[in-house]
Amino acid sequence: MTFDGLAYTGTPHDRAASLRTDPGWVDAQLCHDDTRVVPMWRDRTLLTATGQPAVLTAGPGRAVVAAAGQTVLLGLDGTAATFAVDLSEVEEAEVLRLAAADTSTDLRALAATLSGPLAATLAYARGMLHWHRHTRYCGSCGTPTSSAHAGHLRVCDGRDCGRQIFPRLEPAVIVLVESPDPEPRCLLARHHGAGPDRFSLLAGFVEIGEGLEGAVRREVAEEAGVTVDRVTYRGSQGWPFPAGLMVGFHARAVDETIAVDGAELQEARWFTRAEVVERIVTGPGSGPVDSIGGRLLRSWAGLDGA
């Protein structure tokens, strides 16, 4: 069984890959009255006086586009286009005025209050705009790069280079490790910098030359000293904070030996299902969950959807 309805993943747009390469078509979309504009400021979502994310149309949207440092076509909903615009180079007070907004906030703080499609749209916008701000220079020759294909490509301006740079993802695995004991128990760890009772699942980036299952086995062994055999895929989640793809797994430990590395982890231990339920319902694991890690843990505890 895999997970459905994970936050930030179900973008509703037709990304218009065959159309966005035409600058004339893109410019025409920006002039339509039904075009929607999603403004963002330094990776933060802008909120109106009613607490809703600012999404602009017609006149106000064009004023925001004119002030933006970067514009990205997110896609089409029917015939209506949606663009994300980055106002990071403008002072916050002016940004709020232009967008008719009251404040700015981190997207994850809104996850529990947004519809799935809107959360996914805002995450998509955040990830793309962050990528543009951090890809202003060519990694091969150091020359500035320019935006192309409605924001889905950057091209090196170097006369002898011209490298094409596409948005990149950073794949990572996250895993619920279950003990081989007859009584079900799962492995949770406390990372350096986490509070004294802040335990979570193990996760890590996939390295060059390894598959996803191999990354699971390596991360669990390196960080917790636990050997796992069976590794089962459970689902994946786009995680543009700033550019992740989280791939979730369930794994079975060979034995209960734990030997934390002392670098990534402070400690790790086995938790019973009852202990996990208590943590989720009343303890430090309570509250809204927007990550696949939370879904993995809730599912194992029998609280999926809680």
Side-chain angles (χ1 to χ4, degrees), residues 234-299:
R234 294 299 309 275
S236 63
Q237 179 183 30
W239 193 254
F241 302 102
L245 173 65
M246 299 300 298
V247 188
F249 291 89
H250 182 282
R252 175 80 65 171
V254 172
D255 57 44
E256 296 185 1
T257 302
I258 294 175
V260 298
D261 62 352
E264 292 284 341
L265 303 184
Q266 293 267 34
E267 61 177 314
R269 68 175 195 256
W270 299 102
F271 287 78
T272 66
R273 189 164 273 132
E275 289 172 328
V276 170
V277 169
E278 182 180 4
R279 295 177 69 82
I280 291 173
V281 174
T282 61
S286 61
V289 170
D290 62 345
S291 71
I292 191 172
R295 288 286 296 277
L296 283 167
L297 197 58
R298 279 165 161 74
S299 176

Side-chain angles (χ1 to χ4, degrees), residues 12-16 25-26 29-30 32 34-39 54-57 65 71-85 117-118 120-122 124-125 150 152:
H13 313 288
D14 169 1
R15 300 196 180 199
W25 179 86
V26 174
Q29 303 312 301
L30 285 167
H32 290 174
D34 59 355
T35 290
R36 287 169 290 191
V37 174
V38 179
V55 179
L56 310 175
T57 57
V65 169
T71 301
V72 176
L73 173 69
L74 299 181
L76 298 172
D77 297 289
T79 59
T82 299
F83 288 85
V85 297
L118 180 54
T121 294
L122 294 171
Y124 178 21
H152 290 260

Side-chain angles (χ1 to χ4, degrees), residues 41-218:
W41 181 74
R42 300 179 187 177
D43 293 333
R44 294 174 67 83
T45 298
L46 305 181
L47 297 180
T48 66
T50 62
Q52 296 301 306
V55 179
L56 310 175
T57 57
R62 290 177 195 141
V64 166
V65 169
Q70 178 66 50
T71 301
V72 176
L73 173 69
L74 299 181
L76 298 172
D77 297 289
T79 59
T82 299
F83 288 85
V85 297
D86 193 353
L87 299 169
S88 296
E89 297 177 5
V90 182
E91 291 299 319
E92 186 176 15
E94 177 64 6
V95 168
L96 297 177
R97 185 191 69 80
L98 286 169
D102 269 23
T103 188
S104 66
T105 190
D106 181 74
L107 172 58
R108 293 194 65 192
L110 305 173
T113 66
L114 300 177
S115 69
L118 180 54
T121 294
L122 294 171
Y124 178 21
R126 185 190 192 280
M128 290 295 292
L129 296 177
H130 183 278
W131 172 72
H132 276 283
R133 288 203 311 280
H134 292 271
T135 319
R136 294 179 177 179
Y137 296 90
C138 176
S140 297
C141 70
T143 301
T145 61
S146 297
S147 178
H149 292 188
H152 290 260
L153 171 69
R154 294 193 74 86
V155 180
C156 174
D157 295 335
R159 185 179 60 183
D160 298 321
C161 183
R163 177 185 175 191
Q164 294 187 333
I165 308 166
F166 294 89
R168 293 288 188 262
L169 290 176
E170 299 169 358
V173 294
I174 185 164
V175 55
L176 186 141
V177 179
E178 191 170 24
S179 76
D181 243 13
E183 179 190 9
R185 293 193 293 168
C186 74
L187 183 68
L188 298 180
R190 187 164 67 87
H191 293 74
H192 276 284
D197 196 32
R198 290 289 175 177
F199 287 82
S200 60
L201 300 181
L202 273 69
F205 289 106
V206 181
E207 295 187 356
I208 292 174
E210 68 181 354
L212 297 172
E213 293 83 359
V216 168
R217 294 187 174 93
R218 175 186 53 77

